[in-house]
């Protein structure tokens, strides 16, 4: 018997379709992109796309939910691995940078096309994003209390600065470049002023 | 006689139309947004929109070109005001943050809808963006040589980190919040580790 954790052919097909959809939406936009193009890219029929994932809107929702999940995972992993606020912040930046770089096409679509989804989905995603910022700001606030980050600045803006630095990577990163995700994360960490 | 520098009624109308177009495109997307909605938002007729600026694509091109111009202005002002590399970097961050916050709606459209423009326009804009990154990286490299920024990290990635921090502001900044653009720029500057 196969357990729930087994990566099945079904899961692999779904992932391939989501990646194909992200590539089509990133290039052509959600409105102009078609399931026909997605099917051609993935090498499946349109009915197969529909069977595995559903309509174009279902595909976009799946892209968005996966990014939300990956961001949450990066944060939770960072919080769990780090035993001090500094280690937590460093690990969050590392995990988040890796997640953005690995999923840069889906992240592009997440960011550009979120407004195409129904209000209920958007509101849930916005709440998750606010929670993400608040948890990083809480780590920043601890570092401020320890005198490691400037105490006279708002923790939320410092957190948004760090999140922006990492998020923007999706726009300029090229796999053909000389640096991997780890090296980029280390560069960002060297830029952030953790004194003391 | 009116000189070329005079801000005419014509210029004001054009600016209002570009702002209205950016609001419609930011909310509905370029493909779904219509000149009818833009006309309604600005309080002009569709023929008037066409007279002052042209088609929907002309509107998008005008949005993109204005953002390119504003980014260039922020960079040139920063380079001109600062008399040392540190002052230049600080002033560039300040000017660029102010430009992004003031133009956050047009910047959103610039970033999300650039791919809708013809290849020739996109290539020119990409070249301008590369030049923008290269000039900030050159200031960063000077600071590295002076030991003010980590010397063992690539200047371009440090520059992209700084640009990302500022660029991302367009996504979270709310005019109703407690901080103005200057205070946000100062927070980013406090986050960047200029040692020595």
């Amino acid at each position: 018997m196969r357990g729930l954790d087994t990566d099945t052919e079904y899961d692999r097909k779904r992932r391939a379709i989501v990646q194909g959809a992200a590539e089509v939406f990133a290039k052509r936009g959600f409105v102009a992109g078609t399931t026909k193009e997605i099917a051609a890219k993935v090498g499946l029929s349109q009915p197969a796309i529909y069977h595995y994932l559903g309509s174009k809107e279902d595909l976009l929702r799946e892209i968005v939910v996966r990014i939300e999940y990956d961001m949450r995972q990066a944060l939770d992993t960072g919080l769990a691995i780090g035993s001090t606020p500094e280690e937590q912040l460093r690990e969050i930046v590392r995990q988040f940078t890796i997640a953005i770089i690995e999923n840069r096409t889906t992240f592009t679509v997440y960011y550009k096309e979120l407004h195409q989804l129904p209000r209920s989905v958007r509101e849930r995603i916005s709440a998750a994003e606010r929670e993400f910022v608040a948890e990083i700001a809480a780590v920043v606030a601890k570092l401020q209390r320890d005198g490691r980050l400037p105490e006279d600045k708002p923790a939320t803006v410092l957190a948004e600065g760090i999140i922006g630095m990492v998020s923007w990577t999706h726009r300029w990163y090229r796999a053909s470049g000389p640096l991997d995700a780890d090296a980029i994360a280390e560069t960002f960490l060297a830029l952030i002023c953790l004194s003391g």
Side-chain angles (χ1 to χ4, degrees), chain A:
Chain A
M1 215 178 91
R2 217 155 46 187
L4 278 171
D5 286 343
T6 313
D7 193 23
T8 62
E9 177 66 19
Y10 177 80
D11 295 327
R12 277 192 293 277
K13 278 245 167 71
R14 278 174 62 98
R15 270 206 306 277
I17 294 167
V18 171
Q19 181 62 30
E23 285 165 24
V24 169
F25 295 155
K27 188 162 184 201
R28 304 244 300 129
F30 174 73
V31 174
T34 64
T35 50
K36 194 176 168 185
E37 290 165 298
I38 296 165
K41 188 169 273 293
V42 186
L44 289 170
S45 67
Q46 277 177 277
I49 300 282
Y50 197 87
H51 166 73
Y52 282 107
L53 263 146
S55 67
K56 216 167 79 162
E57 192 184 294
D58 293 326
L59 286 164
L60 180 57
R61 191 184 304 119
E62 183 73 18
I63 287 168
V64 163
V65 169
R66 278 177 192 241
I67 287 293
E68 184 205 344
Y69 177 82
D70 287 343
M71 283 173 67
R72 185 72 237 177
Q73 281 285 104
L75 180 58
D76 288 345
T77 305
L79 290 172
I81 291 181
S83 58
T84 62
E86 172 169 353
E87 277 177 28
Q88 287 182 324
L89 185 65
R90 288 185 177 279
E91 208 49 51
I92 291 166
V93 167
R94 249 177 232 124
Q95 299 291 333
F96 185 33
T97 304
I98 292 167
I100 294 284
I101 286 179
E102 277 179 2
N103 302 295
R104 58 196 176 280
T105 310
T106 37
F107 188 80
T108 303
V109 175
Y110 168 90
Y111 170 56
K112 288 189 182 179
E113 305 287 0
L114 189 57
H115 68 282
Q116 305 281 359
L117 288 174
R119 178 184 288 264
S120 60
V121 181
R122 280 184 281 131
E123 283 176 355
R124 203 175 55 68
I125 297 293
S126 291
E129 279 193 24
R130 279 194 301 273
E131 178 63 23
F132 184 79
V133 175
E135 291 199 34
I136 295 181
V139 176
V140 165
K142 280 184 204 154
L143 289 162
Q144 289 180 295
R145 279 196 294 274
D146 295 344
R148 308 293 311 282
L149 280 173
E151 286 176 78
D152 60 336
K153 302 296 178 198
T156 303
V157 177
L158 292 169
E160 291 280 17
I162 295 167
I163 292 166
M165 195 186 296
V166 176
S167 298
W168 202 243
T169 311
H170 80 279
R171 194 157 194 264
W172 58 266
Y173 179 82
R174 294 289 172 272
S176 56
L179 295 173
D180 64 9
D182 272 321
I184 289 168
E186 288 306 322
T187 305
F188 290 159
L189 288 168
L191 186 64
I192 297 170
C193 212
L194 284 165
S195 60

